[in-house]
Amino acid sequence: MKYHDSMAQAQQKMTEVCWFLERYNLPPIPINYHTVYSFISKSNDALCEELEGLLAADDKLDNFILENLFNRFLSEQDSSQKELIQGVSKTMETMDTSIDQSSETINKYIATLDTSLIAIDDADVSEAKQLIAELINASYELKGSQQQVNESLLQARQELKTCQQKLLKIEKQRQVDPLTGLYKETYMAEKAAVWVEQGKSICAIAIDIDDFNDFNEKYGQAVGDVVIGKVAKKIRSYVQDSGLPIRTKGKEFIILLPDVSLQTAKEIAERMRTGVEKLKFISSRSGRRLPTLTISLGISELGNNNLNQLTAAARHSVARAKLQGKNNVFFDPS
């Protein structure tokens, strides 16, 4: 992102950025500063629209939300890294196929050569014996050389596999939130698109930790992060590999469930609710037990709607769950 501000404009915007960060109790780390500077500068329409929506909804801003906005709208590194991974993976697949084809061709050649050489060696042609002997020696030298090529190709394949494993690790780091181990919101659209293309139905469960802002202010962000991690782990345990658990905001999550009936989604949501309610949190400093936390959950089902409408409906159901007293599951059939 390039800006063309004068010194006076930059100083004015810097003041506004600092005021914004102070107002919402956000640390002036580079990602936060960059994101808010872009918002103040109105240099990215999509970013401005989403952040304005969060402010209008009176959502509590935190580092996670701003980092998510930065990755989605401002980070050229994220998109270029993704393209690099896809390009290298495709190249490796092509090379792997070429190695298979090359090895097969070499093996067929060697087999044909062996058969032909034996036939020539058995022929009773005295005047050609010397030439045939030289041909046999040269051919077996070629055979040995091709076998070395085969060994080199096999070694190259192993190196490619090692490289691919490293790339997969990088790809996972791009997709997964380090605090909770859940997927990032940027990965949600990619996975959902695959499911839709496969003709799968999708249910969404939106989850919000009740009264977490008060808990965070009372016990501190460090304790809050530990608690979020434990809540996320409990939520993920009810999904395993059958769905996609995503951290969408600091204390909010979305679970996408492919080919799951609405009734099954309700049962999973209820198990999540009771499971989190049973969690016990103990302060590592004082040894004192911390208050029990609960979650509110909302469910929606993908009909003719797109992914944004699906997740918006689930979040709307969460809001309804909170209005009904929190710590419950709500589904709006309309």
Side-chain angles (χ1 to χ4, degrees):
M1 180 65 65
K2 295 182 179 180
Y3 302 98
H4 301 283
D5 297 331
S6 66
M7 181 63 70
Q9 290 173 324
Q11 288 178 338
Q12 175 62 31
K13 289 180 181 179
M14 182 179 69
T15 301
E16 293 181 35
V17 169
C18 292
W19 174 83
F20 186 102
L21 295 175
E22 183 178 355
R23 178 182 178 184
Y24 293 100
N25 197 27
L26 295 164
I29 58 179
I31 285 181
N32 288 354
Y33 189 92
H34 189 168
T35 304
V36 176
Y37 196 100
S38 298
F39 174 68
I40 297 295
S41 301
K42 300 188 183 303
S43 59
N44 187 300
D45 293 339
L47 168 69
C48 291
E49 181 179 355
E50 182 148 342
L51 188 47
E52 285 170 357
L54 292 172
L55 295 174
D58 200 26
D59 284 353
K60 181 176 176 59
L61 299 183
D62 56 23
N63 293 343
F64 179 82
I65 290 177
L66 291 193
E67 181 181 358
N68 189 25
L69 292 173
F70 175 83
N71 287 335
R72 290 166 57 200
F73 300 114
L74 302 175
S75 176
E76 297 177 1
Q77 179 182 3
D78 185 74
S79 59
S80 62
Q81 184 184 68
K82 179 182 174 183
E83 291 174 2
L84 174 63
I85 291 171
Q86 290 175 341
V88 172
S89 297
K90 186 175 181 180
T91 301
M92 288 196 300
E93 289 174 6
T94 302
M95 291 179 66
D96 206 36
T97 301
S98 298
I99 289 171
D100 282 334
Q101 293 173 345
S102 177
S103 297
E104 184 179 356
T105 301
I106 291 171
N107 289 333
K108 285 182 179 179
Y109 169 76
I110 291 173
T112 302
L113 185 60
D114 282 341
T115 303
S116 300
L117 290 175
I118 292 171
I120 293 173
D121 195 34
D122 290 341
D124 188 14
V125 186
S126 57
E127 61 273 14
K129 281 290 184 179
Q130 183 61 35
L131 293 175
I132 292 173
E134 293 176 0
L135 175 61
I136 290 174
N137 291 334
S139 298
Y140 277 114
E141 286 179 6
L142 176 60
K143 178 181 176 180
S145 175
Q146 294 297 346
Q147 287 174 336
Q148 289 180 356
V149 171
N150 263 341
E151 292 174 1
S152 298
L153 289 174
L154 291 173
Q155 183 180 354
R157 171 179 285 177
Q158 185 58 46
E159 291 175 355
L160 284 173
K161 287 183 178 179
T162 301
C163 184
Q164 193 168 33
Q165 289 172 352
K166 292 180 179 179
L167 285 174
L168 288 174
K169 184 177 181 180
I170 293 173
E171 177 70 355
K172 184 177 181 180
Q173 291 173 344
R174 189 185 70 84
Q175 296 171 350
V176 175
D177 170 49
L179 176 63
T180 62
L182 304 188
Y183 289 97
K184 295 180 181 178
E185 192 171 6
T186 48
Y187 181 62
M188 179 168 60
E190 298 176 23
K191 190 64 176 178
V194 173
W195 287 337
V196 170
E197 187 177 345
Q198 293 172 345
K200 294 183 178 182
S201 62
I202 303 176
C203 283
I205 302 175
I207 304 166
D208 187 287
I209 303 177
D210 296 325
D211 303 316
F212 185 75
N213 290 340
D214 293 339
F215 180 94
N216 219 23
E217 290 179 6
K218 184 174 182 179
Y219 296 101
Q221 185 174 342
V223 174
D225 285 348
V226 172
V227 167
I228 285 178
K230 290 187 176 181
V231 170
K233 183 178 180 180
K234 174 59 68 173
I235 290 171
R236 186 173 64 246
S237 69
Y238 295 102
V239 181
Q240 300 300 338
D241 297 328
S242 61
L244 189 72
I246 305 131
R247 186 186 183 196
T248 54
K249 293 182 182 178
K251 62 185 182 70
E252 297 179 20
F253 313 93
I254 288 277
I255 311 294
L256 295 187
L257 300 168
D259 277 348
V260 166
S261 68
L262 188 58
Q263 182 59 37
T264 300
K266 291 179 181 178
E267 292 171 0
I268 292 173
E270 184 59 30
R271 289 200 294 270
M272 289 178 178
R273 185 193 68 77
T274 56
V276 171
E277 189 177 22
K278 292 177 182 178
L279 286 175
K280 296 179 181 179
F281 305 106
I282 307 295
S283 172
S284 60
R285 291 184 178 178
S286 64
R288 185 179 59 180
R289 181 171 174 174
L290 301 178
T292 298
L293 288 175
T294 61
I295 54 175
S296 295
L297 305 94
I299 302 173
S300 63
E301 188 176 24
L302 183 64
N304 296 323
N305 302 327
N306 59 33
L307 179 62
N308 290 335
Q309 291 171 324
L310 173 71
T311 55
R315 290 189 177 103
H316 177 72
S317 292
V318 168
R320 296 287 296 275
K322 286 184 176 293
L323 289 174
Q324 292 186 355
K326 305 175 183 177
N327 191 26
N328 63 65
V329 179
F330 183 87
F331 169 69
D332 186 357
S334 60

